[in-house]
Amino acid sequence: MRIYLDNAATSWPKPASVYAAVDHYQRELGAAAGRGVYAEAIESERLVTSARQRLSRLINAETPERIVFAFNGTDALNLALHGLLQPGDHVVTTVAEHNSVLRPLRWLADHKQVTITYVGCNKAGIVDPTEIEQAITPRTKLTAVIHASNVTGAIQPVAEIGKLAHGRGIKFLVDAAQSIGHLPIDVRSLHADLLAAPGHKGLLGPLGTGLLYLAPGMETLVEPTRQGGTGTRSDEDRQPTSLPDRYEAGNLNVPGLVGLEAGLAEIERRGVAAIQQHEATLTSQLLTGLADIPAWEVFGPADVRERVGVVSLRLPGSDPRELAAILDTSRQIQTRAGIHCAPRMHTSLGTSPEGTLRLSVGLFTTAAEIEQTLAALAEIALELG
C-alpha cells in the first residue's frame, strides 16, 4: 500500500469532504462566482466567501476582504513582488527562499534594477534576525522571508524579523507555503504586511488555489498585475479599487476554492494546534529513528519545536533521485529528491548539485507508516553502505 511522504509538495490524501465538495460543485452548481443572481451562482459565491472568511479567521486578518485569491502560492508571491517593487528598490531576503521568490526577484533585478541582498543561515537552516537588520540600507523597501524551509523544515523567527523591519519602516513579506495549516499564524503578531500561501498543501485544498493577505494600506502600494472582469462596477473600464476585486480579475477557480473551503472547515474542526502536535510527534519519531541509522546524514534543526514536518537527508555516495526511485518501486514509499526549487539553500548546506532526499509528513500520515519508512531506510543504508 502506498506511503505518501511528499506533503511539502502537495498534501495527499485530502479529507473526504474536499472530494465531495468539488464533485458537488461540478455536478450540481457549475456556476461562476459573482457573475449571476440565480440560485447556483449565489451558492457558488457563498462558498467562495466562506473560504475567504475561514482564511481570515485562520490567520487573524483584519477583514476577509484582505484575503485575495490567487491561482497558487507562486501567483500570490508574484503579485506581491511585481506589484510592490519599483526600479531602484532594494530587497533583503535569505538563502532559504524557494524559487517562487528567487526567480521573480531575479527578473526584477534584470529588468527593473531592483537590488537584492541574500542573508545566510546557520547549519540548521535558521536565519539570524541581526543579519537581516545589518543588510538593510536606506533604499530597502521590502524584507521577504520564508516562514518554514521546504528543505530543512526550519522555522524562521519571522515575528522578530517583522518587528525589526517595521521599526525601520520596511515592508515585510512572509512566504507561508510550508507553515499555513501546520502552525498557528497571526499576521498581526508576525507584523506581516503581505503573506502568501498555496491552498493545496497544509490547507488541504486542491491544486490551483492560493492566497495573498494584504495588511491595511498595502492596497495603495501593491499594483494589480492583471485587469479584467470582476462582476462589479461593470459599467467602468477601469479596474475597481475595492478589495478583493482590485486583484481578482477574471473568473476564480471556483471548483478549487470550494474544495479549499472544505479543507479549511476540516482544519477548523481539528484545530491547528492538534495538527501541529500530530505532525511534530511523527517528525520526532522520524528523527529519532534516523539517529539510529548513522549512515544517513540529516539536515535541519535537531529540536522538533524549531521545525515543521519536513526532513531532508542524504546517503553519502548515493544519488537522492536513485534513492527515491528505490523507495518507490520496491517499497511504495513516495518521497521527493533533488534541489526542491531552493538552490541557494542547497549551496548553503553543501548539498548541491544533487540535492537531498526529502520526507514530509501530513495530517493523514501514521506512526506505522513512519516505522515502515525507517525500516526501509535502514535496509537501503545496509545494502548501499
Side-chain angles (χ1 to χ4, degrees), residues 35-332:
R35 301 298 200 276
V37 293
Y38 50 93
E40 290 81 2
I42 292 170
E43 177 63 5
S44 296
E45 178 67 15
R46 185 192 71 79
L47 289 167
V48 169
T49 299
S50 177
R52 207 184 301 274
Q53 291 168 338
R54 291 186 191 277
L55 281 168
S56 180
R57 290 195 294 270
L58 184 69
I59 66 172
N60 195 29
E62 291 79 3
T63 63
E65 291 73 27
R66 299 207 160 273
I67 305 295
V68 171
F69 285 125
F71 296 116
N72 44 54
T74 298
D75 186 42
L77 287 163
N78 270 262
L79 171 56
L81 295 168
H82 287 282
L84 177 65
L85 296 173
Q86 299 296 322
D89 286 341
H90 175 244
V91 179
V92 177
T93 190
T94 81
V95 299
E97 306 310 307
H98 188 275
N99 274 337
S100 294
V101 166
L102 297 179
R103 286 179 172 174
L105 286 179
R106 172 55 63 192
W107 189 95
L108 286 162
D110 291 343
H111 296 274
K112 291 196 174 182
Q113 295 75 55
V114 169
T115 57
I116 310 158
T117 299
Y118 303 92
V119 171
C121 61
N122 64 19
K123 291 182 178 179
I126 298 175
V127 173
D128 183 349
T130 303
E131 294 190 27
I132 296 274
E133 188 169 27
Q134 292 171 346
I136 292 172
T137 76
R139 292 194 299 111
T140 305
K141 187 171 188 177
L142 178 71
T143 297
V145 179
I146 195 167
H147 193 176
S149 171
N150 71 315
V151 178
T152 67
I155 300 170
Q156 305 297 352
V158 286
E160 189 176 349
I161 294 169
K163 184 177 181 180
L164 72 85
H166 276 203
R168 300 288 292 272
I170 296 161
K171 302 306 179 186
F172 184 41
L173 166 63
V174 177
D175 176 357
Q178 298 298 334
S179 59
I180 196 166
H182 300 288
L183 303 176
I185 291 178
D186 182 332
V187 288
R188 293 185 246 187
S189 295
L190 297 184
H191 307 279
D193 297 293
L194 299 158
L195 181 140
H200 66 94
K201 301 186 190 228
L203 297 181
L204 308 176
L207 287 156
T209 56
L211 69 116
L212 179 66
Y213 158 79
L214 297 99
M218 290 305 295
E219 66 273 19
T220 66
L221 301 176
V222 177
E223 292 294 328
T225 53
R226 66 176 185 271
Q227 294 78 35
T230 59
T232 58
R233 307 187 76 89
S234 297
D235 57 326
E236 300 176 2
D237 64 1
R238 288 187 174 89
Q239 191 72 13
T241 58
S242 59
L243 292 175
D245 291 350
R246 177 168 168 78
Y247 304 104
E248 289 185 354
N251 274 298
L252 295 170
N253 174 15
V254 181
L257 294 178
V258 167
L260 177 61
E261 196 276 340
L264 290 163
E266 182 69 10
I267 291 170
E268 284 188 358
R269 186 182 73 80
R270 292 175 180 262
V272 174
I275 294 171
Q276 181 184 16
Q277 182 57 55
H278 169 72
E279 294 178 353
T281 299
L282 294 172
T283 305
S284 179
Q285 178 188 0
L286 183 57
L287 293 174
T288 300
L290 284 166
D292 293 331
I293 317 172
W296 288 98
E297 182 180 6
V298 181
F299 301 92
D303 189 338
V304 73
R305 293 171 297 182
E306 296 179 347
R307 67 189 303 157
V308 294
V310 177
V311 178
S312 271
L313 53 155
R314 180 171 65 174
L315 188 63
S318 298
D319 188 317
R321 293 171 182 80
E322 293 179 3
L323 296 171
I326 291 169
L327 284 167
D328 182 32
T329 57
S330 65
R331 278 98 170 171
Q332 289 187 286

